[in-house]
Amino acid sequence: MNFILATDLCLLNTQDSLPTFLRYSSIGWPELTLCSHSLFRYSPHWEVLDNLKNSDHRYILISIDTPKENYHYIRYKILDGNHHKFLETLQINALSIENEISRALSTAGLDTVTIILQKVIIVAYNKSFKTKKQSLINIPNWWTDNLETDKNKILALKSGIGINGHNMKTPLQRNQKFKLHVKSAKGSGWRKICTTASNPYGKHYKAAFRKTIFSTQIPLRFYKDPEGSLHDMAKHVLERLYDPPEDPTIYTAFPISLCTNPFFNNQEISLVIRHLPEGNAPGYDRINNLILKILHQ
């Protein structure tokens, strides 16, 4: 319970659930499912399934009704050229976009014009550039170069025997051995991934704590009975590490009239656009840095 309070987590187990552990002589509820507050506000459903299986522990079904979705964006071959056609396609709607920008008098109006401009640029993308082929099927992490070499050897033996008519015993034995290696690689693939993460907290955490304390136990190092949320505990830690300032007026905000920093001008914007890196992946707006340079010419 102290761990749950110290880390500000939520317990999903219900009181009227089936036992998670079932044996002919005893039952119990040893499994605890925890989640953060950001996931708990989506009302996750926690249920113990009454399915037959070869273990004393039952399956637990956890479902979260989250509005998040996976989006797939099309990548375009912008570096291959055809920029002149892109500018010609965009020039058709340039005058109307300029009029919309001049009529926008509020932040909401500018946001609307920005969305319209983004759609116009995407339409010009589709008419001017080719799309990149993105392979959705990735090679599994357990497939190694040695397995690929063994597979090619077996295929070569089969093709050679089919032509020359040699004995089929050798390729069959190799094929059976190859299947055993594949089965072993599938079973031990997850173990190799876990062992590669020797220090999940990073170099800075390792240098500071020397692997003697976990991040979830930091509040417990300062006081044994933590109370309140994780934010209150962090505030208490900062108060013990740093003394409060003697003069609190040094943190007061300056009035706007005293700010002497001028607004950025067109020359500064042009300088930033000219020095943007090319070839990087676009952001959520799907507009590449190279396109910004082309439009700014």
Side-chain angles (χ1 to χ4, degrees):
M1 195 64 185
N2 292 334
F3 171 78
I4 298 176
L5 294 176
T7 53
D8 201 16
L9 297 176
C10 299
L11 182 64
L12 298 182
N13 296 57
T14 58
Q15 297 180 356
D16 55 347
S17 65
L18 297 174
T20 59
F21 177 80
L22 179 62
R23 190 177 288 180
Y24 66 92
S25 60
S26 61
I27 60 174
W29 290 262
E31 282 79 12
L32 299 178
T33 305
L34 305 175
C35 73
S36 61
H37 281 278
S38 59
L39 291 178
F40 189 76
R41 59 192 180 97
Y42 294 116
S43 301
H45 176 70
W46 187 88
E47 180 184 1
V48 180
L49 301 181
D50 191 12
N51 296 339
L52 296 176
K53 59 192 195 67
N54 298 326
S55 176
D56 298 332
H57 298 267
R58 289 177 170 176
Y59 290 114
I60 298 176
L61 175 64
I62 304 172
S63 58
I64 300 176
D65 187 12
T66 173
K68 294 183 180 180
E69 298 178 356
N70 294 326
Y71 296 97
H72 175 69
Y73 296 104
I74 301 175
R75 300 289 300 277
Y76 298 91
K77 297 181 180 180
I78 301 176
L79 297 176
D80 295 344
N82 210 14
H83 302 154
H84 183 68
K85 183 178 180 180
F86 170 76
L87 292 176
E88 290 180 352
T89 307
L90 197 62
Q91 189 68 27
I92 301 174
N93 301 317
L95 184 59
S96 61
I97 294 295
E98 291 179 358
N99 295 333
E100 292 290 340
I101 294 175
S102 61
R103 287 196 296 265
L105 302 177
S106 61
T107 305
L110 288 176
D111 293 340
T112 304
V113 176
T114 304
I115 295 174
I116 296 174
L117 177 60
Q118 180 184 358
K119 292 181 179 179
V120 171
I121 292 176
I122 297 302
V123 172
Y125 274 176
N126 297 328
K127 294 182 179 180
S128 306
F129 305 117
K130 296 181 180 180
T131 58
K132 293 182 179 180
K133 294 182 179 180
Q134 301 180 16
S135 58
L136 301 179
I137 302 177
N138 298 325
I139 300 176
N141 51 16
W142 51 266
W143 187 262
T144 60
D145 295 337
N146 295 331
L147 293 177
E148 184 69 23
T149 303
D150 294 341
K151 176 184 175 182
N152 294 332
K153 288 181 179 179
I154 293 174
L155 293 177
L157 283 174
K158 287 183 178 180
S159 61
I161 288 173
I163 297 174
N164 300 327
H166 291 170
N167 188 11
M168 290 289 293
K169 185 176 181 180
T170 302
L172 287 177
Q173 291 178 351
R174 290 198 175 186
N175 193 14
Q176 293 176 357
K177 187 181 294 185
F178 173 71
K179 289 182 179 180
L180 291 176
H181 290 169
V182 171
K183 185 177 180 180
S184 176
K186 284 183 178 180
S188 61
W190 63 271
R191 191 180 298 112
K192 292 181 180 179
I193 295 177
C194 296
T195 53
T196 53
S198 58
N199 185 25
Y201 293 102
K203 296 181 180 179
H204 304 287
Y205 182 88
K206 180 180 178 181
F209 295 97
R210 306 292 182 184
K211 292 186 177 181
T212 59
I213 180 175
F214 294 101
S215 58
T216 55
Q217 299 174 346
I218 292 177
L220 300 177
R221 299 285 292 184
F222 289 90
Y223 47 103
K224 297 182 179 180
D225 298 326
E227 296 179 357
S229 63
L230 193 61
H231 181 269
D232 298 334
M233 298 177 190
K235 186 177 180 180
H236 178 73
V237 171
L238 292 177
E239 289 176 354
R240 294 192 58 181
L241 292 177
Y242 305 100
D243 296 331
E246 297 179 358
D247 187 7
T249 58
I250 60 176
Y251 292 102
T252 56
F254 291 98
I256 301 177
S257 59
L258 297 179
C259 296
T260 58
N261 295 329
F263 294 102
F264 46 83
N265 50 30
N266 295 333
Q267 289 77 12
E268 293 176 344
I269 296 176
S270 301
L271 182 63
V272 171
I273 293 178
R274 284 199 303 268
H275 289 82
L276 287 176
E278 299 180 5
N280 294 352
Y284 291 108
D285 56 358
R286 302 164 61 182
I287 300 176
N288 198 289
N289 291 340
L290 181 59
I291 295 299
L292 295 178
K293 290 185 176 182
I294 295 172
L295 295 176
H296 189 67
Q297 292 177 355

